[in-house]
Amino acid sequence: MAPAATSSRSHAAQDPREQQLDVSGQNRVAIFDKQGGPVSIKDVPVQKQLKRGEALVRVIYTGVCHTDLHAMLGDWPLDNKLPLVGGHEGAGVVVALGEGADQFVKVGDRVGIKWIATSCLNCSFCRTGAEPNCPHAQCSGFSVDGSFQKYAVSYANHLSIIPDALPLDQAAPILCAGVTVYKALKEAQLIPGQYVAIPGAGGGLGHLAIQYAVAAGYRVIAIDTGADKKQLCESLGAEKFIDFKTSKSLVDDIKAATPDGFGPQAAVVAASGAAAYEQALDYIRPRGVLVAVGLPGNTDIRANVFFTVFRSVRVVGSYVGNRQDAQEALEIAASGKVRTHFKTLGLSQLPQVYDDMQSGKIAGRIVLDIDQ
Ligand code: 8ID
Ligand code: ZN
């Protein structure tokens, strides 16, 4: 696949579909019945009966995250709903509300559907801002149907408000990829001037991680493979690109990219493959942190106890972000400091997108136009 074009728009040229608040015609969904697919595109009736707290969102654009591919393939140790409409980077407008939902959003609001579809807002996790860890959380495109459909029923309490200055296609990938890496960089607890290595830097999460890191004043060592991803990572501000397929010693090359040769203060692992975790604890510097973000199924992080102590390194897991993280990530994107690099395809091309994602051909993100 050709490298994606970066949108040149700096202000939201509003999509005329954002004004169409009547619910007309059928719902259009991309759905699969069993793990491994096939994914088919179908017309089905729109669900117009909304329960308390629910919102009907007219999705216009949706990003495709590697998580959607994991869910379709069933390679995680968790069961998803079946049949399933995937997708959790949905951007559109609210067209109807269930009882009580108007305390969160209004009809006509430009909103985003993110991975955490809802949470109880009342447990000790929610009360302390750890909404993704809520035991009652529901996940869009996994435990409930997601954004690969024209009319998605979601929960008003977790919809994100998309800033006016941000076009919906630019916004969509921020709703998972953007917020996830923004939060993961917070978990790294770096200060400006410090180095972060980003395995998976040329992918959906990674290319946004480079930009949030640069915006925070961190220095980025990008790790991925191929000329397209190298060019993308360097254009976004990575100071060094290391190709994991051609490097003779990843550990030596990454350490050598820092001035004193001790390696970066953090690795934010945003790759979907298990190999990206193998050497991260060896190339971060003493007192450094490995932030686990990428989710290869059935993979362990192997940490030698002696060297974990002797080098005083930390390992932390980082799981999307809360409602405030999502809002901040969107607002930074609206300011122009972070721009999604994407190619737009139609919802009907989702099976091809999954094939290309599996073979590592996508630099940046694919955003689907729901009506195509
Ligand atoms: O909350 C979370 N922790 C969270 C949220 C969203 C997504 C976690 N994820 C997970 C996804 O489920 C997936 O496992 O993050 C991973 C990356 O998602 P993505 O960015 O949507 O995937 P992508 O666009 O396919 O990019 C992956 C990149 O990793 C590179 C590939 O070349 C690709 O550019 N990569 C691989 I595969 N192996 C690598 C390696 N060994 C590698 N890069 C460096 N070293
Ligand atoms: Zn995702």
Side-chain angles (χ1 to χ4, degrees):
M1 181 176 292
T6 304
S7 164
S8 57
R9 290 186 295 181
S10 55
H11 297 289
Q14 290 225 337
D15 190 305
R17 291 173 291 180
E18 293 178 31
Q19 312 302 328
Q20 292 161 15
L21 302 179
D22 59 312
V23 181
S24 56
Q26 296 272 87
N27 189 14
R28 183 165 195 259
V29 305
I31 193 163
F32 62 90
D33 295 326
K34 61 178 189 337
Q35 246 54 76
V39 176
S40 35
I41 311 295
K42 288 185 181 157
D43 286 337
V44 299
V46 180
Q47 188 190 321
K48 291 187 181 164
Q49 291 295 100
L50 299 175
K51 296 203 223 28
R52 187 172 176 81
E54 288 181 343
L56 187 65
V57 178
R58 184 339 183 175
V59 181
I60 298 174
Y61 289 104
T62 177
V64 184
C65 177
H66 208 114
T67 290
D68 299 311
L69 176 59
H70 291 299
M72 195 273 286
L73 295 174
D75 62 17
W76 279 355
L78 281 181
D79 291 333
N80 52 265
K81 153 185 191 296
L82 284 174
L84 181 69
V85 176
H88 56 276
E89 291 185 345
V93 288
V94 176
V95 289
L97 291 173
E99 199 187 327
D102 64 350
Q103 73 179 102
F104 297 101
V105 289
K106 304 272 180 279
V107 168
D109 280 355
R110 304 167 84 239
V111 294
I113 295 174
K114 55 187 179 50
W115 174 250
I116 301 299
T118 189
S119 69
C120 78
L121 302 185
N122 198 36
C123 66
S124 59
F125 297 101
C126 285
R127 287 199 307 264
T128 53
E131 294 154 7
N133 304 108
C134 170
H136 308 291
Q138 298 289 339
C139 301
S140 312
F142 198 82
S143 62
V144 294
D145 285 340
S147 59
F148 293 158
Q149 56 180 333
K150 185 170 173 182
Y151 292 105
V153 176
S154 196
Y155 299 85
N157 64 9
H158 265 266
L159 291 173
S160 300
I161 298 292
I162 297 176
D164 285 344
L166 194 60
L168 294 182
D169 48 3
Q170 274 279 341
I174 305 297
L175 292 156
C176 176
V179 62
T180 297
V181 297
Y182 175 65
K183 167 69 174 173
L185 286 161
K186 287 188 185 182
E187 294 282 6
Q189 297 177 357
L190 298 174
I191 56 173
Q194 292 187 326
Y195 282 79
V196 56
I198 305 176
L205 268 64
H207 89 288
L208 293 169
I210 296 172
Q211 299 176 70
Y212 283 106
V214 168
Y218 312 148
R219 306 184 67 178
V220 174
I221 303 165
I223 305 150
D224 212 308
T225 189
D228 285 355
K229 291 178 184 172
K230 177 177 194 290
Q231 195 275 331
L232 174 61
C233 293
E234 289 175 348
S235 74
L236 299 175
E239 294 181 36
K240 181 89 185 166
F241 180 88
I242 297 169
D243 192 315
F244 72 90
K245 286 198 177 155
T246 59
S247 167
K248 296 211 168 46
S249 169
L250 206 59
V251 173
D252 290 345
D253 287 350
I254 294 171
K255 285 184 168 180
T258 58
D260 60 10
F262 289 128
Q265 281 84 1
V268 172
V269 180
S272 49
Y277 280 98
E278 280 167 15
Q279 289 159 310
L281 284 173
D282 298 330
Y283 62 65
I284 56 173
R285 73 203 279 124
R287 305 197 64 75
V289 58
L290 185 170
V291 184
V293 179
L295 287 167
N298 196 23
T299 301
D300 294 326
I301 297 172
R302 294 181 62 83
N304 176 280
V305 172
F306 181 86
F307 285 106
T308 300
V309 174
F310 185 68
R311 304 181 72 241
S312 312
V313 291
R314 293 180 294 133
V315 177
V316 301
S318 189
Y319 180 36
V320 288
N322 64 21
R323 292 172 299 164
Q324 180 63 20
D325 295 319
Q327 217 55 57
E328 290 171 11
L330 285 164
E331 279 155 21
I332 293 169
S335 78
K337 289 192 173 66
V338 168
R339 298 170 67 79
T340 308
H341 178 89
F342 66 97
K343 178 173 178 178
T344 309
L345 296 173
L347 181 68
S348 57
Q349 288 161 289
L350 182 57
Q352 180 62 45
V353 175
Y354 282 152
D355 286 349
D356 289 344
M357 185 173 265
Q358 209 163 5
S359 47
K361 287 187 193 155
I362 300 170
R365 231 348 161 225
I366 297 294
V367 171
L368 302 179
D369 182 325
I370 288 291
D371 298 306
Q372 300 297 310

